[in-house]
Amino acid sequence: MVRFNPPENKKVELMLLDAKNPRIPEAKQKLSQDELTIFIAETYNAISVARSISFHHYFPSEPLIGMEDKKGNFIILEGNRRLAALRLLTNPALRSKLINRKEWDELPTANVPDSVPIVIVKNRKEVAPVIGYRHISGIQPWDAYSKARYIATQVEGTRNFKKTAIEVGENVTEVQSNYRNYKISEQVSKLKIDPEEINGMVNGFGIFTRAMQAGKIREFIGAPAPADVSLSKDPVKPAKKDKLKELVGFLFGPKAVIEESRDITKLGKVLSSSEGLKSLRKERNL
């Protein structure tokens, strides 16, 4: 069991947001620190954290977790929303780029510290079990896409579903399912698909997760059941890429045919019927 050193107070200005955080989409990973701050603030409601800091002080009982880079800065592996809030509260020029700038400007900054506690770890692997439990089985769950992405990263690091399951506090079947679903999303991102459909899949990944629980939908694209997921093969074979592209269009984007998750069972029945599928392709209506 890893034992962490006691937290140390470090200047906020030395702390960096983690571009590899599971909440940050791949397309956003090359953003500057200022751009990442704005993205996190506007996407993950960092102002709620900022309000707490402004009115109730920063709580030292829950330190950030980070690793030191070669330049003496600290990449924050746990606590990116808190860091984004701190950066914005202390930087009026950065706040000016926010859509809801007025709300931020109204927050008092007298209680905002310039140094906060941070637990310093050697690398990502050292803290992976803590982060995994906290955001997957714990009190601050990630959205479905972030969860699947994190699990996939851990699986590819350990090359072992069972070991990852222990690290993140899930059963092996759930880990295999999340790994498969994320790897399929990677395949989708490489297809020529309407960007609205891809964005819809990422933002509505819970719907896709639910769809992959339906055997008839998995059969339509040739996706394996959890127990049959392989670490060395793409979940969907090249011969099924057109079916995968079609499924994403049925689930997401401007021509989606489902309105709620309960429609997924009906979609599975239609996809398993040659006549039903023919009609759906023509009418785009379940």
Side-chain angles (χ1 to χ4, degrees):
M1 182 178 69
V2 176
R3 293 187 180 277
F4 299 112
N5 292 323
E8 301 177 34
N9 272 357
K10 296 293 181 181
K11 293 283 188 182
V12 173
E13 64 188 35
L14 296 177
M15 299 180 186
L16 301 175
L17 295 164
D18 180 18
K20 294 183 180 180
N21 185 288
R23 279 190 170 130
I24 308 298
E26 286 88 341
K28 303 289 185 181
Q29 289 185 355
K30 294 184 180 180
L31 294 179
S32 68
Q33 284 292 301
D34 284 355
E35 290 169 332
L36 278 175
T37 301
I38 298 299
F39 174 78
I40 291 172
E42 294 183 342
T43 308
Y44 299 111
N45 193 32
I47 194 169
S48 63
V49 179
R51 289 194 185 101
S52 175
I53 294 171
S54 294
F55 295 107
H56 305 295
H57 299 268
Y58 186 91
F59 295 119
S61 60
E62 193 171 353
L64 304 175
I65 302 177
M67 61 182 184
E68 188 171 4
D69 67 11
K70 294 179 181 179
K71 296 181 179 180
N73 295 314
F74 299 91
I75 301 171
I76 300 305
L77 306 178
E78 170 65 8
N80 280 264
R81 254 195 347 148
R82 279 171 281 161
L83 179 55
L86 288 167
R87 294 188 87 235
L88 285 162
L89 286 169
T90 57
N91 191 331
L94 188 55
R95 288 201 302 271
S96 69
K97 300 176 183 180
L98 290 164
I99 295 174
N100 58 339
R101 172 187 179 179
K102 185 177 179 181
E103 290 182 77
W104 282 84
D105 284 343
E106 290 173 349
L107 296 176
T109 59
N111 295 330
V112 181
D114 60 3
S115 297
V116 295
I118 172 176
V119 171
I120 302 172
V121 296
K122 295 178 182 177
N123 50 49
R124 294 178 186 276
K125 185 177 180 180
E126 186 178 11
V127 75
V130 174
I131 295 177
Y133 263 97
R134 184 175 183 79
H135 292 289
I136 293 175
S137 302
I139 61 174
Q140 292 185 346
W142 280 319
D143 60 83
Y145 180 78
S146 298
K147 173 181 175 178
R149 180 180 167 198
Y150 182 83
I151 286 176
T153 300
Q154 295 307 111
V155 167
E156 291 179 344
T158 63
R159 306 302 295 177
N160 188 301
F161 290 121
K162 185 176 181 180
K163 185 174 181 179
T164 297
I166 293 171
E167 285 187 349
V168 302
E170 293 278 21
N171 62 52
V172 175
T173 298
E174 188 70 15
V175 167
Q176 291 170 315
S177 297
N178 274 279
Y179 178 78
R180 175 199 62 204
N181 298 347
Y182 179 75
K183 297 304 287 186
I184 292 175
S185 78
E186 285 192 327
Q187 291 185 264
V188 169
S189 69
K190 297 174 184 177
L191 299 175
K192 293 182 179 179
I193 289 181
D194 185 332
E196 284 191 49
E197 294 177 2
I198 294 179
N199 290 336
M201 183 177 184
V202 172
N203 295 328
F205 205 70
I207 296 292
F208 184 71
T209 299
R210 170 67 183 83
M212 287 298 95
Q213 293 172 357
K216 291 179 179 179
I217 293 180
R218 289 202 309 273
E219 184 178 346
F220 181 71
I221 62 172
D228 298 322
V229 173
S230 171
L231 285 169
S232 58
K233 299 178 182 178
D234 284 337
V236 178
K237 296 178 180 179
K240 291 281 190 177
K241 68 178 183 179
D242 289 337
K243 293 285 185 70
L244 175 58
K245 181 177 180 179
E246 192 169 33
L247 175 62
V248 174
F250 288 148
L251 293 171
F252 308 106
K255 295 184 179 180
V257 300
I258 68 167
E259 296 181 357
E260 56 185 359
S261 60
R262 286 184 294 181
D263 291 336
I264 289 175
T265 300
K266 188 184 298 184
L267 176 62
K269 292 179 180 179
V270 172
L271 294 181
S272 65
S273 162
S274 58
E275 287 300 314
L277 179 57
K278 182 179 178 181
S279 178
L280 181 60
R281 286 169 172 163
K282 181 180 179 181
E283 304 293 339
R284 305 297 295 192
N285 190 319
L286 282 176

